[in-house]
Amino acid sequence: MQAAASRSSGIDRRRRGHISGAKPHPASADDTGLLDALPIAAAIIEQAAKGSMQISAHNSRFFDTVQQSSSAARDWNAADCLKSGPIAEALTKFFDGSDTRGELDFKDGEGVSSHHFRLKLAPLPQKGNGPRCLLSVVDRTVEVQAERTLRAEMLRDSLTGLPNRLAFTEAVEKAGETVHRDLEHAVLVVDMLRFSRINESMGSLAGDELLITFARRLILALRAGDVLARTGGNEFGVLVSLRRGVEDALKAAQRIQDVMTTPFKISDLEIRVECAIGVALMHAGQDPEELFRNAQFAVKQAKIAGKPQVYEPKQASEARRRFSIETELRRALDKDQLRLFYQPLIDLKSGEVAGFEALARWTHEDRGEISPSEFIPVAEESGLILQLGRWAMDCAVQTLADWDKRCGEKLPLYVGVNLSAIQVARDNIAEMVEDSLRASGLAGDRLTLELTESSIVQDPARATRVFDALKALDATVAMDDFGTGYSSLAYLQRLPIDVLKIDKSFVSGMMVDPDAVAIVRAVLSLAEALGMSTTAEGIETVELATTLATLGCASGQGFYFAKPLEAEAALDYWKSRRH
Ligand code: C2E
Ligand code: MG
Ligand code: MG
């Protein structure tokens, strides 16, 4: 229960002296003795007729303390405290039973000169006409002030005088309580870069000076109502309010960076200080600690990116990336910016290059190399795989035809092209392959089509037609990533599959996991039983190459032999391994 009684008249409330007009009720000797024994100001209050109250006994401290609790005029009568003010209100409520808790903290005055009191009421057995209670008043001013000082110390960073991490969290929490809609506030975490190096080379005093100057500069970038705090050694937190969402937060980050551009003068030296800024936007009901951690996470990303970063939940940022990859992939395909690389497939018995697998490569102008395992699923989802697949097919057979032409002979090589399950389901693959072969002049037996088990599972009848049509073109059909899908043995037997490509997860596990060896052995004997050939993917060591050869695997590909190469390098590689 908190109440503030402020009847401030500006008169010194600490004055002591005669209390005019105080007419204590005649008290029994018992009562007075009892009260005098108490170490605090106390009085017995009795409720007389018509609800009026009177002091029936008090100890010597009572008037002094009660007078201090009131900023009344000089001629104030102590019994006046029963007429109005917090004591009178508490007593009235106590006697009429509307508040029987019997305890009340109140203060008199405002600011540094305010006084704090705790009032307690306890019922006493009735003696005369009305109910009675024991009223005690404790001056808690010193205690409250000490608590405040201690709290202020706990919330302040002693070096910069700024609020510390604890105070910052409290400020964020408070801001969160008043949030009416999302994105009204943001937390910026500003990390002074390379601070530890400056600290080490120039000494901790210079380091301290730099931190103080840095903090002062940060203040220059703030707007009214923003909260700045030192939240770690070289880390500062800024709570900003937003009117236009993320845009305002990024503007605040820009202002901070602007004030840091001028060099810092520390011990006669000019130092340039850079900072990384992470931004996290506050959502209604968000935990302040979580918000702060998000901003810290964004700082890490800002260090890598070299510019302020806004924290985004993983899912949102992944979805956004997929979306922008789709848009940019479409553009890249239209502008013919994808390239096809060729990874050698080695005959494990002879060590010669038997063929190449064509693998799509995309180097993005800003993002750099984007892996097929990222853009192929996006292409499949968006339907772009049809365009991509046709391009890969055209390009791969054309490359092999070019090699033939340049070498003046029909090279003993084939090219493997990947086909997605989406192409099988939606495109007219046989026609597309036929077109490519015709355009390049290459014979069908120079082409291997790598399909995955998923292309059979979705629509086995359609897959059967496609596989048959491809066989009719004389092409080889390989089952890619074998072992990772769900194809049934019945389909393996029924479909015209020539090669099983053992997935690299089994191959790379062979050296450490006996189960992987067992699986590879099983696939090899299954292939043999079904009259199929085998290719092992992901051969990274010579041990794997020899083990697989010993086990009877026909061919293999992997980084041990070569990574996917550009067309020119691939042809050179073939030449270099030719016996
Ligand atoms: P995939 O068809 O199974 O291709 C083999 C993948 O294994 C390639 O990854 C290749 O670079 C990688 N690889 C080969 N040897 C090793 C090795 O020793 N160690 C390791 N760790 N990896 C090895 P890449 O090029 O990243 O392609 C990933 C997947 O993307 C391909 O798997 C394929 O499913 C798909 N893909 C790539 N290009 C095309 C394309 O033109 N069309 C379609 N539909 N899919 C494609
Ligand atoms: Mg493949
Ligand atoms: Mg594969």
Side-chain angles (χ1 to χ4, degrees), residues 466-478:
V466 173
F467 280 44
D468 284 340
L470 291 173
K471 283 309 300 170
L473 294 170
D474 232 2
T476 305
V477 172

Side-chain angles (χ1 to χ4, degrees), residues 320-366:
R320 199 163 305 192
R321 184 174 160 98
R322 278 177 94 88
F323 182 73
S324 56
I325 283 191
E326 182 186 324
T327 322
E328 288 157 20
L329 180 62
R330 180 168 287 126
R331 201 176 306 145
L333 278 167
D334 289 343
K335 289 189 181 167
D336 200 19
Q337 285 174 340
L338 260 61
R339 283 166 307 147
L340 216 48
F341 273 43
Y342 301 87
Q343 188 176 31
L345 290 136
I346 308 292
D347 181 320
L348 291 180
K349 243 191 214 143
S350 68
E352 281 197 50
V353 179
F356 288 92
E357 176 176 4
L359 293 159
R361 289 291 176 269
W362 179 21
T363 312
H364 188 280
E365 296 155 331
D366 304 324

Side-chain angles (χ1 to χ4, degrees), residues 165 168 172-173 175-176 185-189 239 278-283 286-298 311:
R165 167 90 193 249
F168 190 65
V172 174
E173 199 166 1
H185 295 92
V187 164
L188 273 66
V189 166
L239 173 68
V279 180
L281 303 170
M282 185 194 283
H283 295 277
Q286 195 172 24
D287 172 45
E289 280 294 335
E290 184 196 352
L291 182 67
F292 191 78
R293 275 198 308 275
N294 292 351
Q296 282 180 317
F297 183 77
Y311 174 83

